[in-house]
């Protein structure tokens, strides 16, 4: 499984760091929504779903967390602990976010507005979706 982690270029000077992200340049799609999560309780696992169409970039802008990516065949755990790193998560990837530090802020850039009908929340349904995509259905 190919993990795509972007390393954004901070504009650093003696005052500190600034990261700027533009759609189609630093983020590989039009940004239609931005959301973030914080105050995540210890031992919480978020996500546990895939999407039919949504593409996202996840940036842990403060603290740290781990992302489990599962394409239905292979799983990988990606730590996010730098505010200048962005993890690309394709639609057809089961994702789980866990091991949040108490100060973690996970910022997400999304290619679509919120749409509950785009979620695949059942793992068996996800495996079926991946198989059908592979067979061109
Ligand atoms: C994803 C991972 C990385 C909204 O009303 N609008 C929104 O844009 C979002 C993202 C959520 N919500 C509502 C829906 C639920 O009542 O906020 C509540 C929590 O959402 P959810 O349980 O889906 O959150 P996570 O952390 O499990 O998943 C989220 C995204 O939903 C999902 O697309 O890929 O972060």
């Amino acid at each position: 499984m190919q993990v795509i982690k972007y390393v954004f270029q901070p504009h650093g000077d003696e005052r500190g760091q600034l990261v700027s992200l533009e759609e189609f340049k630093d983020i590989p799609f039009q940004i239609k929504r931005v959301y973030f999560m914080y105050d995540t309780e210890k031992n919480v696992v978020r996500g546990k779903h895939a999407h039919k169409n949504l593409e996202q970039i996840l940036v842990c802008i403060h603290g740290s967390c781990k992302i489990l990516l599962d394409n239905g065949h292979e799983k990988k755990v990606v730590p996010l602990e730098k505010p200048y790193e962005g993890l690309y998560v394709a639609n057809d990837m089961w994702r789980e976010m866990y091991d949040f530090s108490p100060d973690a802020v996970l910022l997400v850039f999304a290619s679509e507005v919120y749409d509950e009908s785009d979620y695949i929340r059942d793992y068996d349904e996800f495996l079926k979706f991946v198989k059908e995509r592979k067979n061109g259905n």
Side-chain angles (χ1 to χ4, degrees):
M1 181 203 301
Q2 195 196 3
V3 171
I4 303 175
K5 212 179 194 184
Y6 291 88
V7 179
F8 306 123
Q9 186 61 56
H11 301 277
D13 60 25
E14 63 285 354
R15 298 169 297 173
Q17 304 296 330
L18 184 154
V19 174
S20 163
L21 302 174
E22 295 182 17
E23 59 189 11
F24 298 126
K25 190 175 152 202
D26 312 283
I27 302 290
F29 47 75
Q30 185 185 9
I31 302 163
K32 291 201 182 157
R33 177 169 51 114
V34 175
Y35 62 91
F36 53 93
M37 53 197 85
Y38 61 96
D39 278 355
T40 310
E41 293 291 334
K42 201 173 160 61
N43 300 325
V44 157
V45 181
R46 302 197 64 119
K48 296 189 185 174
H49 57 250
H51 282 274
K52 292 174 192 159
N53 289 305
L54 187 69
E55 295 175 86
Q56 301 188 108
I57 297 272
L58 277 53
V59 184
C60 196
I61 54 169
H62 197 258
S64 62
C65 66
K66 291 193 177 75
I67 315 295
L68 169 85
L69 295 178
D70 175 352
N71 65 6
H73 305 284
E74 204 184 332
K75 297 179 188 192
K76 273 201 179 153
V77 174
V78 184
L80 284 182
E81 43 204 23
K82 306 283 186 211
Y84 53 80
E85 285 181 349
L87 176 66
Y88 176 74
V89 182
N91 61 317
D92 54 357
M93 195 70 80
W94 187 266
R95 80 286 315 264
E96 298 184 6
M97 303 88 80
Y98 66 101
D99 209 8
F100 286 84
S101 62
D103 57 350
V105 181
L106 183 62
L107 177 69
V108 182
F109 297 92
S111 67
E112 301 296 338
V113 296
Y114 179 69
D115 177 6
E116 181 56 38
S117 71
D118 190 64
Y119 283 71
I120 305 171
R121 295 192 182 273
D122 178 81
Y123 192 74
D124 289 335
E125 196 189 315
F126 162 67
L127 293 179
K128 198 167 152 234
F129 177 80
V130 170
K131 203 169 160 191
E132 283 174 0
R133 279 248 163 142
K134 201 175 161 203
N135 295 338
N137 297 333

